[in-house]
């Protein structure tokens, strides 16, 4: 088996990315502190054709060298917007018919492996602060909470890892239908 060269990967151009049909997923970053985490979420969003990223509260915005370092140019492909207040954004998206899903550990959360997305629905996935998680008022306003099952001694994942796990899972489930 031979590793493929970058030139053999048949990647979309920036223009091609902007024109291709997107996965019906929106990412909301609720007060993310780490610029590297933000860049990593952009890169994951590019890989799985996410519709848009909303950067909220203290979450930094491009252009920034530390975001760029991990985003590797995906800030130029994935649509994004800064919105100061996450709760206002959640309420506006819900009014537009978007189903808002907080990724959090909460009472009555649905485990990710048990969640089946509807292919006719656009989902906004809320990922929270590295220390405090998704703000309680945002969790309360969400249509549902999805939790990533974890079986070891630690019960938290880095936000960029959480995003990768959830987006891949939903992308693969939505692609089957």
């Amino acid at each position: 088996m031979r590793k493929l060269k970058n030139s053999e990967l048949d990647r979309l151009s920036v223009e091609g990315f902007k024109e291709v049909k997107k996965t019906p997923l929106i990412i909301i970053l609720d007060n993310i502190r780490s610029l590297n985490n933000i860049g990593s979420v952009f890169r994951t969003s590019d890989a799985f054709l996410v519709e848009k990223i909303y950067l909220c509260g203290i979450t930094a915005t491009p252009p920034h060298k530390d975001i760029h370092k991990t985003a590797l140019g995906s800030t130029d492909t994935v649509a994004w917007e800064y919105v100061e207040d996450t709760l206002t954004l959640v309420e506006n998206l819900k009014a537009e018919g978007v189903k808002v899903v907080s990724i959090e550990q909460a009472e009555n959360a649905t485990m990710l492996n048990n969640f089946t997305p509807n292919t006719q629905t656009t989902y906004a996935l809320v990922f929270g602060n590295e220390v405090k998680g998704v703000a309680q008022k945002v969790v309360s306003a969400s249509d549902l909470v999805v939790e990533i099952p974890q079986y070891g001694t630690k019960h938290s994942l880095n936000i960029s890892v959480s995003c990768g796990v959830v987006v891949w899972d939903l992308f693969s489930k939505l692609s089957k239908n």
Side-chain angles (χ1 to χ4, degrees):
M1 197 171 304
R2 175 185 67 82
K3 283 177 46 176
L4 295 175
K5 297 175 184 172
N6 283 344
S7 61
E8 297 175 290
L9 294 179
D10 194 32
R11 298 288 185 202
L12 291 172
S13 66
V14 172
E15 297 77 26
F17 182 93
K18 290 182 179 188
E19 293 175 8
V20 74
K21 184 176 188 250
K22 302 294 185 290
T23 307
L25 298 175
I26 295 167
I27 304 294
I28 299 173
L29 298 183
D30 180 27
N31 291 301
I32 303 302
R33 298 176 312 164
S34 166
L35 300 170
N36 291 322
N37 281 337
I38 297 164
S40 192
V41 168
F42 266 95
R43 204 156 136 199
T44 296
S45 297
D46 176 280
F48 299 109
L49 301 173
V50 164
E51 282 185 18
K52 188 170 187 175
I53 299 173
Y54 285 97
L55 308 168
C56 301
I58 66 165
T59 308
T61 61
H64 192 286
K65 66 180 176 74
D66 289 330
I67 294 174
H68 181 72
K69 181 169 54 174
T70 49
L72 294 178
S74 56
T75 56
D76 296 328
T77 55
V78 180
W80 65 271
E81 181 178 340
Y82 175 79
V83 175
E84 186 173 348
D85 186 62
T86 308
L87 184 57
T88 301
L89 171 63
V90 164
E91 291 168 348
N92 290 341
L93 289 172
K94 287 175 66 172
E96 294 171 12
V98 174
K99 191 162 211 96
V100 176
V101 181
S102 282
I103 309 304
E104 190 57 85
Q105 296 165 324
E107 294 174 335
N108 302 313
T110 301
M111 291 298 162
L112 180 61
N113 51 310
N114 295 326
F115 178 65
T116 303
N118 180 331
T119 57
Q120 304 304 309
T121 301
T122 297
Y123 294 92
L125 309 173
V126 185
F127 295 90
N129 179 275
E130 292 89 341
V131 174
K132 297 178 181 179
V134 178
Q136 181 60 56
K137 63 185 179 180
V138 174
V139 171
S140 297
S142 297
D143 293 301
L144 72 140
V145 176
V146 169
E147 181 176 338
I148 301 168
Q150 298 171 58
Y151 304 102
T153 61
K154 304 299 177 208
H155 289 283
S156 68
L157 295 168
N158 179 284
I159 187 269
S160 64
V161 172
S162 294
C163 183
V165 168
V166 173
V167 171
W168 163 248
D169 182 81
L170 296 183
F171 176 85
S172 62
K173 289 172 179 174
L174 290 166
S175 297
K176 287 182 182 176
N177 298 326

